[in-house]
Amino acid sequence: MANRTDPLAKNIRGTNPQNLVETIVQTKIKNHTFWKEQCFGLTAETLVDKAMELDHVGGISGGNRKPTPFLCLVLKMLQIQPEKEIVVEFIKNDDYKYVRVLGAFYLRLTGSDVDVYRYLEPLYNDYRKVRQKLSDGRFELRHVDEVIEELLTKDYSCDIAMPRLKTRCTLEKNGALELRKSVLEDDFEEEEEKKENEGKADGSEGEKDHHRRSPERERERDRRRDSHRHSRDRDYDRDYDIDRERGCGRDRDRERERGRDREGDRRDMARRRSRSRSRDRKRHDSGDVRDREEPKKKKEKKMKEDGTDHPDPEIAEANRLRASLGLKPLR
């Protein structure tokens, strides 16, 4: 009963909310001591107290692959499905940074594309440090805005697959979102105005005001903002496509390497066979030559033993005569 989803909970993306976490990760979480002791009987109100006690974020880590308390609370929120207002209060909490990250993570899993951009993008201005537990059990320091960037641009976070998210550019074209305004745009405009004023210090003050407030100047600023936003969205799409192409490219490289290894093995086998055949031919040819040369050598040796090739012609003639009579040759 403690592991079942709340009967009043609604399906998210056409399935049970707990199914947003992979089955093997669910099993590890529900077998963990923190889940059994600290998450039993939690409600939307009492879960805040447990979230305030968090001191790091992370997924599955360590040699025995244990889940972090952060991941256990994420699954608990999927199980009890708190109201949207409570999740928004989590995100707007300025006092506890881990409560904010927990609410942002839950909204990224369950919220619509418009809500994700609307409530998570303002967190880019949060530069506080948080501890993250890595898969090998070590800790590293990150910032809240880096965690939000990972939630908005990556496919996985804390060992959980993130649902597909439409690009901001697409939502802006459809009219679902307004153009994003950076908090630094006013500072950039002031810097540009200062540079222009310094460059035109010899002009009158009236001409400066007219130039600063002219409609052409305003339209030029709007065009710069739009190009900056669209270029940033194109960078997000390009990074996503590059990640997918890298994955496909790695698979193709592995297949090529395997094919090269197989081709190299075949060539080595062919070389070994050709070498063994050439050795067999050489041995066979050398054996035939020896068989033909041995009778000749025996014959020559026999002739030399008869003494008929003696340098003295008289002794050679006498040896021929003695050989016909069966006597030993003269030396």
Side-chain angles (χ1 to χ4, degrees), residues 89-124:
E89 289 300 323
F90 274 34
I91 296 173
K92 293 182 178 179
N93 191 320
D94 293 330
D95 298 329
Y96 298 94
K97 52 190 175 183
Y98 293 104
V99 175
R100 169 173 281 187
V101 175
L102 180 65
F105 196 95
Y106 176 79
L107 184 65
R108 176 65 178 88
L109 288 174
T110 60
S112 62
D113 297 341
V114 176
D115 288 339
V116 169
Y117 283 108
R118 183 176 297 162
Y119 292 108
L120 264 62
E121 280 186 340
L123 302 185
Y124 276 130

Side-chain angles (χ1 to χ4, degrees), residues 67-302:
T68 58
F70 177 84
L71 202 59
C72 295
L73 292 181
V74 170
L75 184 61
K76 193 63 181 180
M77 291 182 70
L78 293 173
Q79 183 182 4
I80 63 178
Q81 199 177 71
E83 296 179 359
K84 182 180 177 181
E85 291 77 10
I86 297 176
V87 179
V88 172
E89 289 300 323
F90 274 34
I91 296 173
K92 293 182 178 179
N93 191 320
D94 293 330
D95 298 329
Y96 298 94
K97 52 190 175 183
Y98 293 104
V99 175
R100 169 173 281 187
V101 175
L102 180 65
F105 196 95
Y106 176 79
L107 184 65
R108 176 65 178 88
L109 288 174
T110 60
S112 62
D113 297 341
V114 176
D115 288 339
V116 169
Y117 283 108
R118 183 176 297 162
Y119 292 108
L120 264 62
E121 280 186 340
L123 302 185
Y124 276 130
N125 302 322
D126 192 345
Y127 306 116
R128 289 179 293 180
K129 294 180 180 179
V130 293
R131 293 200 311 164
Q132 182 169 9
K133 196 170 187 179
L134 305 179
S135 58
D136 57 358
R138 296 184 296 106
F139 287 91
E140 74 170 1
L141 282 179
R142 302 188 71 186
H143 298 82
V144 176
D145 61 322
E146 291 178 328
V147 178
I148 300 302
E149 176 75 9
E150 182 178 294
L151 292 177
L152 292 177
T153 59
K154 302 298 181 181
D155 295 333
Y156 271 84
S157 181
C158 296
D159 296 310
I160 295 180
M162 295 289 106
R164 186 76 173 95
L165 186 66
K166 293 181 182 178
T167 60
R168 198 181 206 288
C169 181
T170 304
L171 297 176
E172 289 177 357
K173 289 179 181 178
N174 296 335
L177 277 179
E178 298 179 355
L179 295 176
R180 182 185 173 191
K181 183 178 180 181
S182 174
V183 295
L184 301 177
E185 285 187 5
D186 296 336
D187 297 336
F188 287 139
E189 291 177 1
E190 292 178 1
E191 291 294 333
E192 290 179 356
E193 291 175 359
K194 288 179 181 179
K195 290 181 181 178
E196 290 172 0
N197 292 336
E198 292 175 357
K200 297 181 178 180
D202 54 347
S204 64
E205 187 66 21
E207 292 177 354
K208 292 180 183 178
D209 294 338
H210 175 73
H211 179 72
R212 188 183 303 120
R213 297 172 184 174
S214 61
E216 293 81 2
R217 180 62 182 166
E218 295 295 331
R219 285 195 291 270
E220 181 65 24
R221 290 177 185 170
D222 294 338
R223 282 196 293 271
R224 289 181 183 177
R225 293 174 189 169
D226 296 340
S227 63
H228 176 68
R229 295 190 190 99
H230 291 308
S231 64
R232 184 181 62 250
D233 293 330
R234 285 196 298 271
D235 293 339
Y236 290 159
D237 296 339
R238 186 182 65 241
D239 294 340
Y240 178 78
D241 295 337
I242 288 173
D243 292 338
R244 291 201 312 180
E245 290 176 0
R246 284 176 180 171
C248 298
R250 293 191 193 100
D251 296 337
R252 288 194 294 268
D253 293 339
R254 293 193 192 99
E255 293 296 332
R256 291 195 194 99
E257 291 177 359
R258 291 171 185 166
R260 290 170 186 164
D261 294 338
R262 296 192 196 102
E263 187 65 24
D265 295 338
R266 294 194 196 101
R267 290 176 181 173
D268 293 338
M269 292 293 294
R271 290 194 194 99
R272 294 186 188 124
R273 289 173 183 169
S274 61
R275 289 173 184 170
S276 62
R277 289 172 185 169
S278 61
R279 291 195 196 100
D280 294 339
R281 291 196 195 98
K282 289 179 181 179
R283 290 172 185 169
H284 181 71
D285 296 340
S286 62
D288 294 341
V289 171
R290 290 195 201 97
D291 294 340
R292 288 194 299 268
E293 290 178 354
E294 283 179 358
K296 293 180 180 179
K297 290 181 180 179
K298 289 180 181 178
K299 189 173 180 181
E300 292 176 358
K301 187 176 181 181
K302 186 176 180 182

